[in-house]
Amino acid sequence: MPALARVVTPMTTRFGFFCASLISIWSMSILTGQEEPQKTRPPLTAVSPTASAAAAALSSSATPTPSSTPPQLTDVLFKNLKARSIGPAVMGGRVSDIAISPNNPFVFYVGLAHGGVFKTNDNGVSFEPIFDKQPMLSIGAIAVAPSDSDVIWVGTGEANDRNSSGWGDGVYRSTDGGEKWQNAGLKNSRSIARIVVDPKKPDVAYVAAMGNLWTDGGERGLFKTSDGGKTWKLVLKVSAPHDAHTGCGDVMIDPTNAETIYAALYARQRTPWSFTSGPSVTGGEDVGGIFKSTDGGTTWKKLGGGLPAQTGRIGLASSATNPRVVMAVVQSYEGGFGRLDDLRSKTGGVFRSDDGGEKWTRMSAMDPRPFYFSQIRIDPANDQRVYVLGFALLVSDDGGKNFREDLSEKVHPDCHALAIQPGTVPPPKPPKPEDKNKPPKPQVCQRLLLGTDGGVYQSFAGGKNWDHLNKIPSGEYYRISLDDTKPYFRIAGGLQDNENWVGPSGVQSKEGIRNYDWTALAGGDGFYVLFDPTDHDTFYAESQQGEVHRINLRNGEIRRLRPEPAEGQPRYRFHWNSPMIMSRHKPGVIYLGGNCVFKLTDRMEKYSVISPDLTYNDPTKTNATGSGAENYGVVFSLAESPKRAGLLWAGTDDGRLWVTENDGGKWTELTSNLPEAARSQWIVRIEPSNFDANVAYVATNAYRSGDDRPILLRTADLGKTWETVTGDLPQGNPVVVVREDPVNSKLLYAGTHFGVFASFDQGAHWVRIGDVPSVRVDDIQIHPRTSDLVIATHGRSIAILDDTIPFREFTAEIASKPAQLFSVRSVSGAYLQPGFVDSNGKGIYRGQNPPEGALFTVWVREFTGDEIKIVVTKSSGQPVANLKAPGTPGFTRLNWDLRPTKDVIAEYGGDDPKRLLPAGDYTAELTFGTTKVKQTFHLDLAEGITPR
């Protein structure tokens, strides 16, 4: 059990280990426990009515004198308050790349589109995150040096061109198997499609850089380094002006001659309302295609000889047994297009060359959804076995002429990565007499690793059977909601390409939160999910394009209930992620955003339109075809005031902001009141205040038009005027969600593209909290009973920062004190079931339970050499526990398991030390140097427990 999960004992060494161990939020260990209701106490020191004074105090630099001056709040002061990862891992998430160690096949690396890099040393029994300390965790490519398996190259920024794709800050390199990383350059490449390393020289590598998905410029093309990333040379690009939006989509090295390089150039650009690639981006000029160099990238030749023109995205592969065999899956715009789900191209498809690329033969028209896939592999032992990745894993045993789909059973669709382990061909069996005249079965490598939108799969039978390695919490959540189930509340939410799910924030078992504790609620790509206010088993869930449905878990009924216009009327427009909220004032009433706002009643069976079209409805931007990812001109953010019934806010993706004070009877546009930097930008979230109906927060972002700045605004007069509360949020880190604490109006939380932040002075100064990796945080919810902060990430599932009451009470005055013990939540004691946790191995994902018992949170202003000491006593004054921890500056959290510590009981002959103490009022007293602080709290025991 990890340090933070251990019960605090009187032994100083154990407490030192408790606080010195900085375990990752994403570890797969257990934190046991439960939470019970409590009335939040008021702050120990009232928040100053003068916001500017408080902001100045909390943000000022620490000075030697006077010693009571509060320290400058920095991220490090919050490092010991760690959010716990609860998963789930059952559904996985989008995998960009997989790399197997050439020296040890039990070691392989998994690159996640939004969640960093995971490594296994035991063939997938367990995984550990190895990239979490880096500033950006969207991964495009991974490569292990063939001549030195300790040298790992990682390219950040996925290159799958989705509307939800993240971006990176260049290439990273490790020389110790992923223990330490160094940024090796190309910081403006944004997305990297492939890295290949010289077979004999680990310092020589080629990087296929695609550049910014949304805007022109940046580092694009094929780059080469010969000194381990210290310097780079752009060895292949197109001529200006098309080099501004044309990058390199794939690269490979001839396995027998490192001077021979093949690369594919590809132009593409996305806008909020469209996606364009190939000649459509370059004014009709055919600048892309396949290129070959025979001198290590010094000179290049564009290959033709049977390849189509007007190319888009291209995937490359070569044969390990016959390097003259080169294959490509080629997107071509010649001849037009079919439907999105049409796997065949008019003139593109699978092409094969048997002479090193001089002449090509079109083997098949197969080319599924090129912008999202375009991956091809050749079996290292047999150049007739060819794989094409698409919605399914397609396989050919005749060199690419014919493909079948029989290797995709029980595998999540949308395949992006395939690693084949060489040398796994089984020895041939002696032919049976009746088979002596039949051709032998093709010899193929049996061990495959497949990466999909649903995680990682492994096969030891050439793809005939797959094991889903659902042990990585890589869920890509969009939105979450909470209920008030006791003792553990439930969390429901939707994920990219992985439906909608509901699961617990904890379980009454030492097993921790396992994958089977989560229940699927149907859907395609999942987004908003709402709990029915009167029926525990009924949910309202949403998938792309406003496809809302009601599902009942008792009887299995699913009702599709998207609003539809009358026949002959204009269609409604819905976003990929349409906002859907439950009314706080009229439980059961649901509001849904499309191009207008809908009010759904009678369990969503009925609807009414309560607004006009709130968008600009520009016909040049509202007619994209496809999956719905490019739907535009819609309400993207919708919110109801918790203070005033009928007060609704709506924000659109094309930059319009509206408010109604009478439940849609009249809407007032506020767009022109916004600051110029936010005007006409995507309005991603609106947060009405819990304290004042005239106050609201608005987050906008503009990275789709090339501006990565965070923008966060506040109004105090119902949108007439606005002030910025962006403060010192990191530049280049757009805000995705903002939340106001329901008890302290000065306390704000912001989820950004690269982590979660808190402000204690209403947005003047921000600090990173929870020790959450730099992944996109798409949603934040605060549980009203437990005060837990629930963090929904797009790439690392869900994390919970337990008990944020200390944050509510943290003022400039408290920050100035030498030490402070914050209010303690009431506790409900119960025994956790042992389960089978000690007997069913380590190959099971376990989300972390909440800490068992009482949580004590301590603030220390500065290091003095003193220890943190807490004595817990009964109401009678009898000591029952003594806890200690190092006096580390910042926040420290100690956990008491409701049992007496060894120093207050008889070691032999006394009562059972494992039994819980009786219910009642308790006092915790902090001693830190000469500072003493007391807090009282109440302990309840579950019914039927006999205390000691």
Side-chain angles (χ1 to χ4, degrees), residues 169-186:
D169 63 343
V171 177
Y172 286 78
R173 186 171 186 262
S174 172
T175 58
D176 53 11
E179 293 290 327
K180 298 184 295 293
W181 295 92
Q182 183 175 1
N183 187 291
L186 303 184

PDB file of all heavy atoms in Angstrom, residues 169-186:
ATOM      1  N   ASP A 169       4.549  20.371 -27.698  1.00  0.00           N
ATOM      2  CA  ASP A 169       5.624  21.374 -27.734  1.00  0.00           C
ATOM      3  C   ASP A 169       6.930  20.738 -28.174  1.00  0.00           C
ATOM      4  O   ASP A 169       7.993  21.019 -27.629  1.00  0.00           O
ATOM      5  CB  ASP A 169       5.779  22.066 -26.381  1.00  0.00           C
ATOM      6  CG  ASP A 169       6.198  21.126 -25.269  1.00  0.00           C
ATOM      7  OD1 ASP A 169       6.061  19.901 -25.436  1.00  0.00           O
ATOM      8  OD2 ASP A 169       6.676  21.616 -24.223  1.00  0.00           O
ATOM      9  N   GLY A 170       6.854  19.847 -29.163  1.00  0.00           N
ATOM     10  CA  GLY A 170       8.065  19.345 -29.777  1.00  0.00           C
ATOM     11  C   GLY A 170       8.415  17.923 -29.407  1.00  0.00           C
ATOM     12  O   GLY A 170       7.569  17.105 -29.041  1.00  0.00           O
ATOM     13  N   VAL A 171       9.724  17.642 -29.506  1.00  0.00           N
ATOM     14  CA  VAL A 171      10.273  16.303 -29.349  1.00  0.00           C
ATOM     15  C   VAL A 171      10.936  16.183 -27.976  1.00  0.00           C
ATOM     16  O   VAL A 171      11.612  17.113 -27.515  1.00  0.00           O
ATOM     17  CB  VAL A 171      11.302  16.002 -30.451  1.00  0.00           C
ATOM     18  CG1 VAL A 171      11.932  14.632 -30.255  1.00  0.00           C
ATOM     19  CG2 VAL A 171      10.642  16.099 -31.822  1.00  0.00           C
ATOM     20  N   TYR A 172      10.755  15.026 -27.345  1.00  0.00           N
ATOM     21  CA  TYR A 172      11.419  14.728 -26.075  1.00  0.00           C
ATOM     22  C   TYR A 172      12.270  13.477 -26.245  1.00  0.00           C
ATOM     23  O   TYR A 172      11.957  12.598 -27.049  1.00  0.00           O
ATOM     24  CB  TYR A 172      10.399  14.522 -24.958  1.00  0.00           C
ATOM     25  CG  TYR A 172       9.760  15.808 -24.498  1.00  0.00           C
ATOM     26  CD1 TYR A 172       8.754  16.410 -25.238  1.00  0.00           C
ATOM     27  CD2 TYR A 172      10.175  16.427 -23.323  1.00  0.00           C
ATOM     28  CE1 TYR A 172       8.173  17.597 -24.828  1.00  0.00           C
ATOM     29  CE2 TYR A 172       9.601  17.618 -22.894  1.00  0.00           C
ATOM     30  CZ  TYR A 172       8.600  18.198 -23.655  1.00  0.00           C
ATOM     31  OH  TYR A 172       8.032  19.369 -23.242  1.00  0.00           O
ATOM     32  N   ARG A 173      13.328  13.425 -25.439  1.00  0.00           N
ATOM     33  CA  ARG A 173      14.256  12.292 -25.542  1.00  0.00           C
ATOM     34  C   ARG A 173      14.672  11.860 -24.142  1.00  0.00           C
ATOM     35  O   ARG A 173      14.922  12.678 -23.265  1.00  0.00           O
ATOM     36  CB  ARG A 173      15.496  12.693 -26.346  1.00  0.00           C
ATOM     37  CG  ARG A 173      16.478  11.572 -26.654  1.00  0.00           C
ATOM     38  CD  ARG A 173      17.529  12.088 -27.632  1.00  0.00           C
ATOM     39  NE  ARG A 173      18.429  11.051 -28.085  1.00  0.00           N
ATOM     40  CZ  ARG A 173      19.653  10.833 -27.573  1.00  0.00           C
ATOM     41  NH1 ARG A 173      20.078  11.601 -26.573  1.00  0.00           N
ATOM     42  NH2 ARG A 173      20.423   9.890 -28.039  1.00  0.00           N
ATOM     43  N   SER A 174      14.709  10.554 -23.946  1.00  0.00           N
ATOM     44  CA  SER A 174      15.180   9.968 -22.698  1.00  0.00           C
ATOM     45  C   SER A 174      16.301   8.995 -23.020  1.00  0.00           C
ATOM     46  O   SER A 174      16.243   8.272 -24.018  1.00  0.00           O
ATOM     47  CB  SER A 174      14.040   9.227 -21.987  1.00  0.00           C
ATOM     48  OG  SER A 174      14.521   8.493 -20.877  1.00  0.00           O
ATOM     49  N   THR A 175      17.318   8.975 -22.179  1.00  0.00           N
ATOM     50  CA  THR A 175      18.422   8.036 -22.368  1.00  0.00           C
ATOM     51  C   THR A 175      18.468   6.976 -21.274  1.00  0.00           C
ATOM     52  O   THR A 175      19.445   6.240 -21.166  1.00  0.00           O
ATOM     53  CB  THR A 175      19.769   8.791 -22.400  1.00  0.00           C
ATOM     54  OG1 THR A 175      19.922   9.529 -21.181  1.00  0.00           O
ATOM     55  CG2 THR A 175      19.826   9.735 -23.592  1.00  0.00           C
ATOM     56  N   ASP A 176      17.396   6.912 -20.463  1.00  0.00           N
ATOM     57  CA  ASP A 176      17.369   5.924 -19.382  1.00  0.00           C
ATOM     58  C   ASP A 176      16.026   5.195 -19.312  1.00  0.00           C
ATOM     59  O   ASP A 176      15.523   4.893 -18.237  1.00  0.00           O
ATOM     60  CB  ASP A 176      17.677   6.586 -18.035  1.00  0.00           C
ATOM     61  CG  ASP A 176      16.779   7.777 -17.742  1.00  0.00           C
ATOM     62  OD1 ASP A 176      15.790   7.973 -18.471  1.00  0.00           O
ATOM     63  OD2 ASP A 176      17.076   8.507 -16.787  1.00  0.00           O
ATOM     64  N   GLY A 177      15.454   4.942 -20.480  1.00  0.00           N
ATOM     65  CA  GLY A 177      14.219   4.178 -20.535  1.00  0.00           C
ATOM     66  C   GLY A 177      13.004   4.907 -20.035  1.00  0.00           C
ATOM     67  O   GLY A 177      12.013   4.272 -19.655  1.00  0.00           O
ATOM     68  N   GLY A 178      13.033   6.227 -20.020  1.00  0.00           N
ATOM     69  CA  GLY A 178      11.870   7.010 -19.639  1.00  0.00           C
ATOM     70  C   GLY A 178      11.884   7.536 -18.225  1.00  0.00           C
ATOM     71  O   GLY A 178      10.901   8.136 -17.784  1.00  0.00           O
ATOM     72  N   GLU A 179      12.990   7.359 -17.501  1.00  0.00           N
ATOM     73  CA  GLU A 179      13.059   7.894 -16.137  1.00  0.00           C
ATOM     74  C   GLU A 179      13.135   9.419 -16.158  1.00  0.00           C
ATOM     75  O   GLU A 179      12.455  10.092 -15.383  1.00  0.00           O
ATOM     76  CB  GLU A 179      14.282   7.323 -15.408  1.00  0.00           C
ATOM     77  CG  GLU A 179      14.215   5.836 -15.118  1.00  0.00           C
ATOM     78  CD  GLU A 179      13.180   5.508 -14.065  1.00  0.00           C
ATOM     79  OE1 GLU A 179      12.974   6.324 -13.150  1.00  0.00           O
ATOM     80  OE2 GLU A 179      12.567   4.428 -14.164  1.00  0.00           O
ATOM     81  N   LYS A 180      13.946   9.962 -17.026  1.00  0.00           N
ATOM     82  CA  LYS A 180      14.106  11.411 -17.155  1.00  0.00           C
ATOM     83  C   LYS A 180      13.959  11.783 -18.623  1.00  0.00           C
ATOM     84  O   LYS A 180      14.325  11.018 -19.520  1.00  0.00           O
ATOM     85  CB  LYS A 180      15.477  11.863 -16.628  1.00  0.00           C
ATOM     86  CG  LYS A 180      15.697  11.584 -15.147  1.00  0.00           C
ATOM     87  CD  LYS A 180      17.023  12.141 -14.644  1.00  0.00           C
ATOM     88  CE  LYS A 180      18.220  11.453 -15.291  1.00  0.00           C
ATOM     89  NZ  LYS A 180      18.345  10.048 -14.904  1.00  0.00           N
ATOM     90  N   TRP A 181      13.438  13.015 -18.838  1.00  0.00           N
ATOM     91  CA  TRP A 181      13.187  13.477 -20.200  1.00  0.00           C
ATOM     92  C   TRP A 181      13.794  14.866 -20.405  1.00  0.00           C
ATOM     93  O   TRP A 181      13.890  15.650 -19.466  1.00  0.00           O
ATOM     94  CB  TRP A 181      11.687  13.542 -20.476  1.00  0.00           C
ATOM     95  CG  TRP A 181      11.015  12.216 -20.438  1.00  0.00           C
ATOM     96  CD1 TRP A 181      10.426  11.629 -19.350  1.00  0.00           C
ATOM     97  CD2 TRP A 181      10.876  11.290 -21.524  1.00  0.00           C
ATOM     98  NE1 TRP A 181       9.938  10.398 -19.698  1.00  0.00           N
ATOM     99  CE2 TRP A 181      10.183  10.160 -21.016  1.00  0.00           C
ATOM    100  CE3 TRP A 181      11.259  11.312 -22.860  1.00  0.00           C
ATOM    101  CZ2 TRP A 181       9.872   9.069 -21.818  1.00  0.00           C
ATOM    102  CZ3 TRP A 181      10.942  10.226 -23.660  1.00  0.00           C
ATOM    103  CH2 TRP A 181      10.254   9.120 -23.142  1.00  0.00           C
ATOM    104  N   GLN A 182      14.169  15.115 -21.639  1.00  0.00           N
ATOM    105  CA  GLN A 182      14.655  16.434 -22.021  1.00  0.00           C
ATOM    106  C   GLN A 182      13.994  16.842 -23.324  1.00  0.00           C
ATOM    107  O   GLN A 182      13.923  16.050 -24.267  1.00  0.00           O
ATOM    108  CB  GLN A 182      16.172  16.423 -22.191  1.00  0.00           C
ATOM    109  CG  GLN A 182      16.752  17.799 -22.523  1.00  0.00           C
ATOM    110  CD  GLN A 182      18.268  17.779 -22.577  1.00  0.00           C
ATOM    111  OE1 GLN A 182      18.893  16.750 -22.394  1.00  0.00           O
ATOM    112  NE2 GLN A 182      18.873  18.938 -22.820  1.00  0.00           N
ATOM    113  N   ASN A 183      13.497  18.074 -23.349  1.00  0.00           N
ATOM    114  CA  ASN A 183      12.937  18.570 -24.599  1.00  0.00           C
ATOM    115  C   ASN A 183      14.061  18.743 -25.607  1.00  0.00           C
ATOM    116  O   ASN A 183      15.056  19.415 -25.338  1.00  0.00           O
ATOM    117  CB  ASN A 183      12.211  19.904 -24.379  1.00  0.00           C
ATOM    118  CG  ASN A 183      11.470  20.361 -25.634  1.00  0.00           C
ATOM    119  OD1 ASN A 183      12.067  20.729 -26.636  1.00  0.00           O
ATOM    120  ND2 ASN A 183      10.154  20.319 -25.563  1.00  0.00           N
ATOM    121  N   ALA A 184      13.899  18.107 -26.771  1.00  0.00           N
ATOM    122  CA  ALA A 184      14.961  18.092 -27.785  1.00  0.00           C
ATOM    123  C   ALA A 184      14.660  19.005 -28.958  1.00  0.00           C
ATOM    124  O   ALA A 184      15.289  18.877 -30.011  1.00  0.00           O
ATOM    125  CB  ALA A 184      15.179  16.659 -28.276  1.00  0.00           C
ATOM    126  N   GLY A 185      13.701  19.927 -28.788  1.00  0.00           N
ATOM    127  CA  GLY A 185      13.482  20.903 -29.848  1.00  0.00           C
ATOM    128  C   GLY A 185      12.212  20.706 -30.633  1.00  0.00           C
ATOM    129  O   GLY A 185      11.339  19.911 -30.280  1.00  0.00           O
ATOM    130  N   LEU A 186      12.088  21.485 -31.729  1.00  0.00           N
ATOM    131  CA  LEU A 186      10.914  21.524 -32.604  1.00  0.00           C
ATOM    132  C   LEU A 186       9.677  21.909 -31.799  1.00  0.00           C
ATOM    133  O   LEU A 186       8.596  21.328 -31.951  1.00  0.00           O
ATOM    134  CB  LEU A 186      10.709  20.187 -33.322  1.00  0.00           C
ATOM    135  CG  LEU A 186      11.875  19.670 -34.168  1.00  0.00           C
ATOM    136  CD1 LEU A 186      11.494  18.390 -34.899  1.00  0.00           C
ATOM    137  CD2 LEU A 186      12.347  20.728 -35.163  1.00  0.00           C
TER     138      LEU A 186
END
